[in-house]
Amino acid sequence: MTYDQYISSLTEPVAPADLSAYLKVLWYDANHNWERAHDIAQDIQNKTGSWLHAYLHRKEGDAGNAAYWYHKA
């Protein structure tokens, strides 16, 4: 998938099935579905998943929780 195809897909109600879990987190966040993005990020058990989890909590305004996840990353 190209960048332009990814951007175009943001008008759809569901993320494209062929996206990685990482891109699905960002896709749902871009679609103002923080809960779905967070659910996916929680299930990614590596440093990148922790970084995405931290990003979501920072964006949410929960600096303490974000700091915890950034530390894990």
Side-chain angles (χ1 to χ4, degrees):
M1 172 177 285
T2 68
Y3 176 77
D4 289 336
Q5 290 169 325
Y6 178 83
I7 296 301
S8 293
S9 77
L10 293 172
T11 61
E12 301 297 324
V14 179
D18 61 338
L19 292 181
S20 69
Y22 308 125
L23 286 176
K24 284 182 181 177
V25 169
L26 297 173
W27 192 95
Y28 281 105
D29 179 54
N31 275 279
H32 311 288
N33 191 341
W34 188 93
E35 290 294 331
R36 182 70 180 122
H38 184 256
D39 289 345
I40 296 168
Q42 285 187 125
D43 291 337
I44 303 172
Q45 303 297 315
N46 61 32
K47 290 182 179 188
T48 303
S50 293
W51 185 89
L52 288 166
H53 202 153
Y55 159 77
L56 291 171
H57 281 295
R58 181 175 53 86
K59 190 171 179 186
E60 173 193 32
D62 186 348
N65 205 345
Y68 168 82
W69 286 104
Y70 278 126
H71 179 75
K72 285 188 65 110

